[in-house]
Amino acid sequence: MPSPAENPADGPTSTPATCPMKEWPRAIHHIDRKDLYTDLESRIHYLHTFLDFSSSDIEALINGSKYIKALIPAIVNIVYHKLLQYDITARAFQTRSTSFEGPLDEFPSEDSPQIMHRKMFLRGYLVKLCSDPSKMEFWEYLDKVGMMHVGQGRQHPLHVEYIHIGACLSFIQDTFTEAILSHPRLQLSRKIALVKALGKVIWIQNDLFAKWYVRDGQEYAGGEVEQVAIEEEGYLHGQRMVDEVDEVSTAASN
């Protein structure tokens, strides 16, 4: 897969597209539909080119990471305050996670042991979102995050319906956007670049959730069910991808 840092204006190689039309009236980029559902790199490359995710977005994320990290502890608290306002989303925290071995509150609050545990992982995940997206392992991990919410890859399966995933991602994006645009020390041009870049990453993450929920492309799945390795949360191929950060260490990194 070409690096996402390449200028997507160049686009994929133009080739004749397979189409019932006799000929296209203009040059058009061919996207192999099967590849979108069977090859993660092809899917990511298509999303990068479609969203114009380029080296300027990567630069904006890397240069703005210290500002994002400073916002993360507050945003994590805001997100969990929202999730615990509804019984249907709070219900997801009444089951024990793969690695949590502490006491479990029947009716979780923001200070419950399992919520404090989940906050730790959300902080690490949000830090990961503003790391280096030019590496394929970045997108592999975001894909794995989607997989783990449909009951795969965990010793104790977790099932969260997609409506709540989409709503939560939108809420996170909205909260980040407001915080970045109201930042007192960032120039407007940097605010715009950072909001655009982070928005593209979140929408690609949204797609990598949706691919595990929707049935598009099922005809390419084949007869055998893929065996998914069970790993600890925060790991990809045995390598730790998300650090166990806390509010103190997150703030201290800035």
Side-chain angles (χ1 to χ4, degrees):
M1 172 181 124
S3 168
E6 294 178 2
N7 188 348
D10 298 335
T13 303
S14 294
T15 57
T18 302
C19 178
M21 294 176 63
K22 291 184 178 179
E23 62 180 34
W24 289 96
R26 55 182 172 77
I28 191 165
H29 301 304
H30 173 60
I31 301 297
D32 189 276
R33 179 172 177 265
K34 182 177 180 180
D35 285 349
L36 296 179
Y37 298 105
T38 59
D39 182 68
L40 182 61
E41 290 192 14
S42 296
R43 189 182 187 104
I44 295 299
H45 182 55
Y46 167 67
L47 293 170
H48 283 175
T49 58
F50 195 99
L51 297 175
D52 294 329
F53 185 82
S54 67
S55 56
S56 60
D57 293 299
I58 294 174
E59 182 181 2
L61 286 170
I62 293 175
N63 291 339
S65 63
K66 67 177 183 179
Y67 300 104
I68 297 177
K69 288 177 181 177
L71 300 170
I72 286 174
I75 288 178
V76 167
N77 288 333
I78 292 170
V79 169
Y80 273 91
H81 179 74
K82 173 66 72 171
L83 290 172
L84 293 174
Q85 287 181 342
Y86 303 91
D87 59 352
I88 197 166
T89 47
R91 193 179 300 156
F93 307 114
Q94 292 175 299
T95 55
R96 193 177 301 276
S97 72
T98 302
S99 58
F100 182 66
E101 298 180 351
L104 194 67
D105 288 350
E106 182 179 0
F107 302 103
S109 68
E110 291 186 57
D111 297 321
S112 295
Q114 66 264 43
I115 298 302
M116 298 302 292
H117 182 73
R118 297 311 313 162
K119 283 183 176 182
M120 177 189 70
F121 275 101
L122 180 57
R123 285 195 292 271
Y125 167 76
L126 293 178
V127 168
K128 182 67 178 176
L129 281 187
C130 57
S131 62
D132 187 358
S134 67
K135 301 181 183 301
M136 187 58 200
E137 68 176 20
F138 175 94
W139 305 103
E140 283 186 273
Y141 183 71
L142 296 196
D143 183 51
K144 183 174 180 179
V145 170
M147 176 196 71
M148 293 180 69
H149 285 74
V150 296
Q152 298 189 47
R154 294 171 59 108
Q155 184 177 352
H156 303 289
L158 171 68
H159 296 271
V160 179
E161 293 172 303
Y162 179 69
I163 182 174
H164 314 301
I165 296 292
C168 189
L169 283 175
S170 177
F171 184 75
I172 289 173
Q173 182 177 7
D174 184 65
T175 307
F176 265 125
T177 298
E178 181 179 4
I180 292 169
L181 291 180
S182 60
H183 198 286
R185 296 190 301 276
L186 274 174
Q187 293 182 345
L188 180 59
S189 59
R190 293 189 66 188
K191 290 179 180 180
I192 293 172
L194 188 53
V195 165
K196 289 181 64 177
L198 188 59
K200 292 175 186 180
V201 171
I202 290 175
W203 272 92
I204 293 174
Q205 172 69 95
N206 180 62
D207 175 76
L208 296 177
F209 271 109
K211 74 183 280 284
W212 291 96
Y213 286 87
V214 301
R215 297 182 178 181
D216 297 352
Q218 273 196 333
E219 63 269 33
Y220 301 125
E224 297 183 2
V225 178
E226 181 182 357
Q227 296 297 315
V228 176
I230 295 177
E231 295 186 291
E232 291 184 55
E233 190 166 0
Y235 282 78
L236 175 69
H237 308 317
Q239 178 182 354
R240 176 175 285 282
M241 300 297 291
V242 172
D243 293 327
E244 295 184 8
V245 297
D246 55 27
E247 295 185 12
V248 176
S249 62
T250 301
S253 66
N254 300 285

